[in-house]
């Protein structure tokens, strides 16, 4: 005996979009969250097609360079975390990945310091960009802690020297009871779990704030509105993103 199951037509995306905007559904928590997110982060600002002409200046390159270096740091760090200390001390491939991780950190900090100083002299907190500036500064401070615990996690004479020299200083502040720099396991967990998550979250919020408020214009930019926010730029004053 054959049982025929009626075919159920799947609604297309247009029907779902229309249903999502029904007035009777506006009080649902999913609709409220969606509307709030769209108002706070409009899609056209998250991935703009064009940018003001002044972003072609070299000073705007270091922000992107910082993010690019951070991606290399995360990728190489994941490999090192999976393979373990024996691999990066003995294997030639491990030594290469470890060196790549180290030098990407060096590039990360170099680009970040130039980026921070450049934005400081440009008064990057103008135009309701205070949160953008604060998240960038806090990201730098947390990154210093992540780099410090990374040096302590090398498992070589260099890390031993750094830990013993830092131990007395940290103990004098009273933080040595919970932050033992001579404890390899603790420092490794700080380096590969807690601090990287904080850095990634802060950088993510920072980039979202940049997309929301726009990049800060130079003091002499003509497209800056009276309140300091980024205005619209037409014609030759735009460059492709």
């Amino acid at each position: 005996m054959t049982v025929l199951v009626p075919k159920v037509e799947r609604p297309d995306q247009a029907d779902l979009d229309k249903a999502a905007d029904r007035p009777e559904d506006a009080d649902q928590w999913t609709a409220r969250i969606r509307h709030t997110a769209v108002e706070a982060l409009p899609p056209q600002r998250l991935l703009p097609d064009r940018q003001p002409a002044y972003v072609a200046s070299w000073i705007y390159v270091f922000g992107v360079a910082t993010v690019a270096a951070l991606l290399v740091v995360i990728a190489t760090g994941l490999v090192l975390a999976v393979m373990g200390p024996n691999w990066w001390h003995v294997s030639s491939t491990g030594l290469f990945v470890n060196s790549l991780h180290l030098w990407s950190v060096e590039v990360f900090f170099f680009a970040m310091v130039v980026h921070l100083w450049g934005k400081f002299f440009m008064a990057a907190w103008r135009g309701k960009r205070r949160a953008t500036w604060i998240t960038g500064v806090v990201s730098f401070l947390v990154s210093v802690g992540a780099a410090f615990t990374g040096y302590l996690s090398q498992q070589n004479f260099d890390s031993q020297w750094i830990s013993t020299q830092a131990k007395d200083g940290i103990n004098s502040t009273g933080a040595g009871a919970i932050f033992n720099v001579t404890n390899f396991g603790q420092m490794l967990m700080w380096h590969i779990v807690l601090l990287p998550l904080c850095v990634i979250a802060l950088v993510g919020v920072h980039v979202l704030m940049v997309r929301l408020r726009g990049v800060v214009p130079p003091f002499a930019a003509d497209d800056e509105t009276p309140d300091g926010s980024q205005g619209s730029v037409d014609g030759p004053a735009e460059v492709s993103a």
Side-chain angles (χ1 to χ4, degrees):
M1 178 180 179
T2 303
V3 178
L4 298 177
V5 179
K7 183 179 180 181
V8 179
E9 294 291 338
R10 297 181 59 185
D12 57 16
Q13 189 62 40
D15 295 334
L16 293 176
D17 293 339
K18 292 179 181 178
D21 293 329
R22 289 176 179 173
E24 61 270 21
D25 296 337
D27 292 332
Q28 295 184 9
W29 67 271
T30 53
R32 292 199 301 269
I33 293 177
R34 183 179 68 253
H35 291 156
T36 302
V38 172
E39 290 177 0
L41 297 170
Q44 65 272 17
R45 285 187 175 272
L46 292 178
L47 289 174
D49 298 322
R50 306 186 71 81
Q51 290 284 5
Y54 50 75
V55 300
S57 174
W58 64 270
I59 194 63
Y60 291 93
V61 173
F62 290 95
V64 178
T66 303
V67 176
L70 179 61
L71 294 177
V72 179
V73 171
I74 294 172
T76 53
L78 288 173
V79 176
L80 295 174
V82 171
M83 303 304 294
N86 291 332
W87 179 71
W88 75 61
H89 281 306
V90 177
S91 170
S92 58
T93 305
L95 290 171
F96 172 76
V97 176
N98 190 36
S99 298
L100 186 61
H101 184 69
L102 172 64
W103 284 105
S104 59
V105 171
E106 302 289 345
V107 174
F108 171 75
F109 274 100
F110 173 79
M112 180 183 284
V113 169
V114 176
H115 178 63
L116 283 175
W117 277 112
K119 298 308 173 184
F120 174 80
F121 287 110
M122 292 173 62
W125 47 85
R126 291 177 291 134
K128 301 179 180 179
R129 296 182 179 89
R130 289 184 295 272
T132 307
W133 169 255
I134 292 173
T135 53
V137 173
V138 175
S139 299
F140 171 74
L141 297 177
V142 177
S143 299
V144 171
F148 175 64
T149 54
Y151 282 115
L152 296 174
S153 303
Q154 295 179 97
Q155 284 290 280
N156 55 17
F157 289 115
D158 188 23
S159 63
Q160 293 179 27
W161 172 261
I162 294 172
S163 63
T164 53
Q165 295 300 305
K167 174 176 63 65
D168 294 335
I170 294 177
N171 288 343
S172 66
T173 65
I178 58 175
F179 192 79
N180 185 1
V181 294
T182 59
N183 187 334
F184 167 72
Q186 184 185 22
M187 293 301 100
L188 183 63
M189 290 299 101
W190 276 81
H191 180 66
I192 68 175
V193 179
L194 181 59
L195 293 177
L197 291 177
C198 293
V199 172
I200 293 172
L202 287 168
V203 171
V205 173
H206 181 74
V207 172
L208 286 177
M209 295 301 298
V210 171
R211 289 303 190 188
L212 179 62
R213 300 297 182 186
V215 294
V216 63
F219 285 107
D222 295 331
D223 62 330
E224 185 177 357
T225 58
D227 63 350
S229 60
Q230 180 180 314
S232 60
V233 183
D234 299 324
E238 286 187 352
V239 295
S240 299

